[in-house]
Amino acid sequence: MIANGTRADGSRPVRDHRRVLAAVDAVLDMAAQTHAVTVDDIVQALADRRRRPIEVVYEDLGPGVWGQRREFPDHDRIVLARSLPNVTRTLAHEIGHIVFRHPGAAVSEATLAADDDLIAYMLSQRSSSWSDPDREALHEWEAEAFAVRLLQRLGQFDRGDDWRPLLCFDEALG
């Protein structure tokens, strides 16, 4: 298996729980070394470790979009929806995309002058046209599995959320 989750023969991407657990362990090791105790602290520690700033901002995003990672030439931006029911979980998910080096939405400085609806449309067209649906699904699974395990290890799940059945079911299906 290749590090990006595809098989050595180039066939369909596969889910790899060991890869996710190793990523969570690496992030928590970094967090312990830098005394990062919250997800916000982890964002800063990750930015410092990568020597690439990570900016977290809140914007109005399209329906059903809770967060995005945008790549700029000199930094990353995590955009979170203003109306998020769980900021920590979405932030952890977007950190997963960064940790796994999934491609973010490439944003040129020229698009910053465009209105939010145009930017959302352009990003949706980009995601539906450039990528392999299997790879995109794998990236979302990896980011979500990373977020769930990171928050589980940090003990930061909301008391009303019980993710054990989801984790067990997901691991059983592979």
Side-chain angles (χ1 to χ4, degrees):
M1 180 129 83
I2 298 174
N4 67 5
T6 58
R7 294 185 178 167
D9 64 2
S11 63
R12 185 171 183 235
V14 294
R15 294 178 179 186
D16 186 349
H17 289 278
R18 290 179 301 233
R19 178 174 146 82
V20 171
L21 294 174
V24 170
D25 285 343
V27 167
L28 290 175
D29 285 346
M30 177 201 63
Q33 292 169 14
T34 60
H35 306 289
V37 294
T38 67
V39 175
D40 289 325
D41 293 341
I42 288 172
V43 169
Q44 186 58 51
L46 184 59
D48 293 344
R49 177 68 53 96
R50 295 171 64 229
R51 295 186 179 109
R52 183 175 167 85
I54 302 171
E55 177 183 22
V56 178
V57 299
Y58 292 86
E59 294 180 8
D60 292 323
L61 297 175
V65 178
W66 301 114
Q68 292 178 335
R69 173 179 163 232
R70 298 178 184 165
E71 287 182 294
F72 291 85
D74 60 345
H75 72 283
D76 289 307
R77 179 177 295 153
I78 294 175
V79 182
L80 301 173
R82 291 186 204 279
S83 59
L84 270 175
N86 190 329
V87 172
T88 303
R89 180 176 175 153
T90 303
L91 185 56
H93 176 98
E94 297 304 326
I95 292 169
H97 285 302
I98 291 172
V99 167
F100 285 110
R101 297 185 179 127
H102 297 153
V107 179
S108 68
E109 295 299 322
T111 63
L112 295 177
D115 69 14
D116 292 339
D117 290 336
L118 178 58
I119 291 172
Y121 173 75
M122 290 167 58
L123 291 173
S124 71
Q125 291 302 305
R126 176 192 168 274
S127 66
S128 65
S129 64
W130 75 273
S131 68
D132 172 3
D134 287 340
R135 184 165 315 287
E136 194 169 314
L138 175 66
H139 289 178
E140 288 304 316
W141 176 84
E142 284 178 334
E144 190 60 21
F146 174 88
V148 167
R149 282 155 182 80
L150 178 67
L151 295 177
Q152 181 184 42
R153 296 270 305 272
L154 289 173
Q156 292 188 356
F157 277 118
D158 290 338
R159 297 287 179 221
D161 292 343
D162 185 4
W163 292 99
R164 285 173 295 174
L166 175 64
L167 290 172
C168 294
F169 181 70
D170 190 45
E171 288 176 4
L173 293 177

